[in-house]
Amino acid sequence: MNTVVLGNRVVTPSKIVCVGRNYVDHIEELKNEIPEQMVLFVKPNSCITDELISYQDEAIHYESELCFLVENGGFVAVGLGLDLTKRNLQSKLKAKGLPWERAKAFDGSAVMSEFVKIEEAWDGLNFDLFINGEPTQRGNIGLMMNKPAEILDEIKRFMTLEDGDIVMTGTPKGVGQVNEGDEFRAILRDNDARLLEVSWCAV
């Protein structure tokens, strides 16, 4: 089973629950419709990795996201992740009205940072993604259509969240293709205080 790190602990998530289409600018970027209901999908444990791949059967696209770790039914820690997507395959599946798993839930498709403890005051959380030193994506709670508390409540309406599970909260505009050798750097802040910084090099 794949794991993530929380402080001095190693945690084994049973699954990742992802929110799709949670930033209006990203919805417009991909020419999607604004959903009437929260879009949710699941990635299995086998998706979790700390290696950023640029190719698996086809080119891979990145989506940086604010991620929460679940314990005792609530969000107790926060980190950053990359939701990797086979965009061409996803477009074909969507056009046929088919599920996204082949394009979203393949092995290694959830690149995770470590996690840091947080309190329930989430409003100040924000993050930036830089690729090869260039600012590429910026996200924060205020830009989300569905806030963390709403996301947690909606998931718990129909699905059990186990201790260690991860919730990925959607991506802001600025998604694109991963190229071999690209240097990714992501910074997570709570208001102005830096919580963590993580780097990945695409292979």
Side-chain angles (χ1 to χ4, degrees):
M1 296 288 282
N2 297 322
T3 60
V4 296
V5 174
L6 171 59
N8 59 2
R9 287 197 289 139
V10 175
V11 177
T12 304
S14 70
K15 59 185 174 293
I16 303 170
V17 184
C18 304
V19 183
R21 303 184 188 180
N22 201 24
Y23 289 79
V24 172
D25 286 347
H26 173 60
I27 294 172
E28 295 172 350
E29 178 180 44
L30 295 186
K31 298 179 173 58
N32 289 322
E33 295 182 0
I34 294 177
E36 296 180 3
Q37 187 178 35
M38 194 181 303
V39 176
L40 297 168
F41 60 96
V42 173
K43 289 176 179 272
N45 172 276
S46 59
C47 293
I48 298 170
T49 185
D50 58 5
E51 182 179 67
L52 173 56
I53 60 172
S54 60
Y55 193 90
Q56 190 188 99
D57 300 323
E58 69 175 61
I60 301 295
H61 283 221
Y62 64 85
E63 300 179 4
S64 64
E65 307 200 14
L66 191 66
C67 304
F68 290 96
L69 191 72
V70 175
E71 285 187 351
N72 299 317
F75 293 152
V76 299
V78 64
L80 294 172
L82 298 176
D83 172 17
L84 301 186
T85 305
K86 296 178 180 180
R87 189 72 71 199
N88 289 338
L89 177 57
Q90 185 191 32
S91 296
K92 292 176 183 177
L93 293 169
K94 285 164 55 179
K96 295 179 180 179
L98 296 173
W100 297 353
E101 277 79 3
R102 291 180 182 271
K104 283 282 194 181
F106 54 92
D107 288 355
S109 63
V111 186
M112 287 291 156
S113 74
E114 64 179 306
F115 284 79
V116 293
K117 284 277 190 179
I118 53 165
E119 303 297 332
E120 289 192 7
W122 306 317
D123 290 350
L125 292 172
N126 61 89
F127 65 95
D128 291 279
L129 176 69
F130 301 85
I131 301 178
N132 301 323
E134 295 295 323
T136 306
Q137 287 191 281
R138 168 168 286 184
N140 61 63
I141 301 294
L143 293 175
M144 292 180 180
M145 294 170 56
N146 302 289
K147 312 305 184 191
E150 300 170 65
I151 294 169
L152 183 61
D153 287 345
E154 181 67 16
I155 294 170
K156 290 166 69 175
R157 286 181 58 194
F158 70 97
M159 183 186 300
T160 298
L161 288 169
E162 307 287 349
D163 284 356
D165 284 351
I166 295 169
V167 175
M168 301 184 77
T169 59
T171 192
K173 68 177 181 179
V175 302
Q177 183 173 319
V178 181
N179 299 298
E180 185 177 355
D182 279 349
E183 296 284 347
F184 281 62
R185 182 167 65 96
I187 300 172
L188 172 64
R189 298 181 180 87
D190 186 0
N191 293 312
D192 293 328
R194 185 174 297 198
L195 295 180
L196 66 84
E197 180 174 339
V198 61
S199 296
W200 302 283
C201 182
V203 297

